[in-house]
Amino acid sequence: MNDVMLQYIGGERRPGRGEQLTITEPATGDLIATGAAASTADVDDAVAAARAAFPAWSGSTPAERSAALYRWADVLSSRADELAAMESRGGGKPISLAKGFDLPGVIDNIAFFAGAARNLEGRAAAEYSGEHTSSVRREPIGVVGSIAPWNYPLQMAAWKVLPAVTAGNTVVLKPSELTPLTSLVFAETAVEAGIPAGVINVVTGTGGEAGAALVAHPDVAMVSFTGSTAVGKQVAATAAGAVKRVHLELGGKAPFVVFDDADLEAAARGAVAGALINAGQDCTAATRAYIQRPRFDEFVSRVADLMDGVRIGPVHDPDTDLGSLISPAHRDRVAAMVDRARTAGAKVVRGGRIPHHMPTAGAYYEPTLITGATQDSEIVQHEVFGPVLVCLPFDTDDEAIALANDTPYGLAASAWSRDVFRTQRAAREIRAGCVWLNDHIPIVSEMPHGGFGASGFGKDMSAYSFEEYTNVKHVMAELTGVADKSWHQLIFRSR
C-alpha cells in the first residue's frame, strides 16, 4: 500500500491538507501507507458535512436506522477476514485476536444497536399533576466529535459511533494517526449499507491539530474521548469552556484480587490472559494482582510457568499468542518503567526484556512478572500499558479491598473466591465501573463499559450509552381547557 487518502468526508475519500503521515507496521517496522493528515480546514469540512446530514438522519424513523445497521453488520461480516488482517498488521496484534475478538465484537455491537434503535424510550405518558399529561422525548444532540485510541482501532471506533448514530446523531471520528485504516473502511461500509453520506465522517490527523480543532469546534455539540487521563483532562477543560457535553473513557489500573479460597489454577490462568491480552495495551487489563499471603508463592509460581508457555511470534501466524506493542517508542517506555521498578528493589520474576528472536525493528516485549514492589511505587500506581503484571500479598479481606481501591483509577477490577459472600462484598466495595467475579476481561454488547474517578465517566456499549448521546426533553400538555388556572392565583389573586 502506497500513498492513501486518509480523510472520509461526506461519503468520499479525500486527501488531507496537513502534514504527511507515515503508517508503519509495529511488529516489523515495515511501511504500510503514507498520506496527508487532516488540517483544521479538513475538520471544518467534516463538521459541515455532519451538520448537513443531521436533519435527515435525526428525522429518520427508528425502524429505518435499525434496518441500515443490520445491513451494515452484514457488510462487515462479508469483509471480516480482510479487516482482521488489516487490524492485525496495523496494530501489531496477533491475527487470532483480531479474528476471534476484534471483528466478532464489532459485528455483534452493530447487531445489538440495530435492535436497540427500536427501543429508545422515555418515561411513559401520565398525568402527574392531575391537569396535564407529561411525556419524555429522547432527542439526538447533534454533531458528535469522537476521538478514538490506537489499541483497539476498529472496536473503539464502533463503541464511539454506534450509540451516537443509533440515537440519530451524526459523527466526526478522529482515529489515532497510528492506526486509522480500519476506521476509514468502517465508515465506508456504513455508506455501502445505506447509512447516508455525512452521517459518519473520519478525519485522520494529530491530536494537536485535528483533535484540538474537533474538540473546540463551535458546531460540535458533544465530545467523546477515549485515551489517557492527562489528555482527557485537556479535552474536558476545552469542552467546559463551550459548555458542551463530554464523555470520557480514560486510563485504568485494574486490581486482580485473589482470596485464599480461590480456584488457584483458574485465577492464575485468568491473570496471565488478563494481563497479556493485546500485549497489555488494554485499559481493563489485569495489572496489579493482590494474593492472600498463604497462596502468594503458589500463585506467583504458577503464573511464571504459564508466562513461560506464551508464544511471542509474527502477528500473521495463527499460533502466536503475544504480538508487539504499538511502537518502539512505547516499548521503550514500558521497558523503562520495568527497569525503574527493578532499580527500586522489585524483583523481575519473568521477562523484563526485549526478546532477541524477533525482528529488531519490531516493538516486542516479553511477558513480565514482578514481585516485591511497594504499593506506592510507580509500577503499581501508574498505567504501564504493556505486558506487565505486578503481584503483591495481603493478609485480611479489609486490606485487599483497601489496596484494590488505592489508586486514582476506577475502570475495572476482578475478585476471585469460592465464597459468594466474599465476592459480593468485593463487587459492592471495589470502586470500579466493572467488577468481574472469578473472571477478568470478558465484555458483552448488552452491558455498559465505563469507569469512575481518573478513569473518566459515561458508558460505552449497552442501552446505557444512550444516556450519553441523547437529550431528555419533558413535554407537558394541558388537559382541562380551563383558562383560569388555580396556580394563576399566585400572580393575580383577585383578577
Side-chain angles (χ1 to χ4, degrees):
M1 187 179 292
N2 298 313
D3 197 63
V4 298
M5 291 186 285
L6 297 176
Q7 320 308 321
Y8 188 73
I9 298 172
E12 294 181 346
R13 285 270 195 136
R14 52 188 269 186
R17 286 169 279 184
E19 65 187 47
Q20 193 76 357
L21 294 176
T22 300
I23 301 167
T24 58
E25 183 175 356
T28 63
D30 294 343
L31 176 68
I32 296 177
T34 59
S39 67
T40 300
D42 294 314
V43 173
D44 289 341
D45 290 350
V47 173
R51 187 178 181 188
F54 178 73
W57 182 247
S58 63
S60 63
T61 66
E64 289 168 339
R65 294 199 291 270
S66 174
L69 286 165
Y70 277 123
R71 292 193 300 269
W72 193 9
D74 289 341
V75 172
L76 275 183
S77 294
S78 71
R79 299 181 64 176
D81 287 348
E82 169 199 349
L83 281 163
M86 189 181 295
E87 192 81 337
S88 171
R89 189 180 181 206
K93 62 180 65 186
I95 187 64
S96 59
L97 181 65
K99 282 187 172 183
F101 182 70
D102 294 67
L103 265 296
V106 170
I107 293 165
D108 186 70
N109 271 200
I110 299 175
F112 168 79
F113 280 105
R118 303 185 72 163
N119 193 38
L120 184 57
E121 296 180 345
R123 187 184 294 271
E127 287 71 53
Y128 297 102
S129 76
E131 297 177 345
H132 308 79
T133 288
S134 284
S135 61
V136 168
R137 293 176 57 86
R138 303 198 66 131
E139 299 181 346
I141 295 170
V143 177
V144 178
S146 295
I147 301 175
W150 48 257
N151 57 334
Y152 292 102
L154 190 56
Q155 285 219 54
M156 294 297 99
W159 286 15
K160 296 292 176 200
V161 168
L162 292 173
V165 300
T166 300
N169 301 283
T170 55
V171 173
V172 178
L173 171 70
K174 194 203 87 65
S176 168
E177 66 273 24
L178 300 177
T179 55
L181 300 181
T182 50
S183 295
L184 289 160
V185 176
F186 186 61
E188 288 175 327
T189 55
V191 172
E192 184 181 342
I195 294 174
V199 171
I200 303 168
N201 307 274
V202 179
V203 289
T204 302
T206 63
E209 183 168 3
L214 186 59
V215 173
H217 201 289
D219 290 334
V220 170
M222 174 186 167
V223 176
S224 178
F225 172 81
T226 296
S228 71
T229 299
V231 177
K233 291 177 180 179
Q234 298 173 19
V235 169
T238 300
V243 198
K244 62 180 67 177
R245 190 177 301 188
V246 180
H247 167 230
L248 300 175
E249 199 269 273
L250 307 177
K253 191 68 181 175
F256 187 101
V257 180
V258 183
F259 294 101
D260 57 9
D261 64 338
D263 181 333
L264 199 81
E265 178 65 14
R269 295 180 71 85
V272 173
L276 301 186
I277 186 169
N278 204 34
Q281 299 167 129
D282 187 309
C283 295
T284 63
T287 59
R288 49 192 179 105
Y290 299 102
I291 306 97
Q292 204 144 24
R293 199 173 299 275
R295 310 295 299 279
F296 182 81
D297 291 342
E298 182 183 3
F299 178 87
V300 169
S301 175
R302 184 57 181 143
V303 167
D305 289 344
L306 289 167
M307 282 190 173
D308 286 340
V310 171
R311 184 173 184 267
I312 305 172
V315 297
H316 59 80
D317 186 339
D319 291 330
T320 290
D321 300 316
L322 188 72
S324 76
L325 278 73
I326 190 61
S327 68
H330 182 62
R331 186 267 322 278
D332 292 346
R333 175 188 170 276
V334 170
M337 289 187 75
V338 172
D339 289 344
R340 288 194 294 272
R342 185 189 283 117
T343 300
K347 179 182 179 182
V348 178
V349 178
R350 287 293 188 277
R353 297 171 301 184
I354 296 171
H356 298 298
H357 69 286
M358 297 306 297
T360 56
Y364 289 90
Y365 197 72
E366 291 183 346
T368 299
L369 176 62
I370 294 175
T371 61
T374 59
Q375 177 65 17
D376 62 353
S377 63
E378 177 193 41
I379 203 76
V380 173
Q381 290 292 321
H382 296 282
E383 192 169 32
V384 179
F385 227 56
V388 178
L389 177 67
V390 183
C391 292
L392 302 95
F394 70 88
D395 293 303
T396 68
D397 289 17
D398 288 347
E399 183 186 8
I401 301 296
L403 290 169
N405 287 331
D406 185 31
T407 72
Y409 300 101
L411 185 59
S414 65
W416 299 72
S417 171
R418 290 185 173 95
D419 185 332
V420 66
F421 300 106
R422 269 179 154 173
T423 55
Q424 287 301 313
R425 180 191 177 189
R428 287 194 311 275
E429 296 185 14
I430 293 177
R431 294 191 298 273
C434 175
V435 179
W436 290 286
L437 303 178
N438 295 309
D439 209 342
H440 196 104
I441 286 296
I443 54 175
V444 290
S445 298
E446 293 83 358
M447 288 290 108
H449 175 88
F452 307 158
S455 293
F457 48 81
K459 301 301 178 185
D460 290 313
M461 299 196 299
S462 82
Y464 291 97
S465 63
F466 289 133
E467 303 290 337
E468 317 303 323
Y469 296 99
T470 57
N471 284 321
V472 174
K473 178 186 288 184
H474 171 212
V475 179
M476 196 172 195
E478 204 275 334
L479 294 176
T480 67
V482 174
D484 186 6
K485 306 277 192 304
S486 59
W487 74 268
H488 293 176
Q489 298 299 317
L490 299 172
I491 309 303
F492 40 94
R493 293 181 180 275
S494 57
R495 297 188 296 277

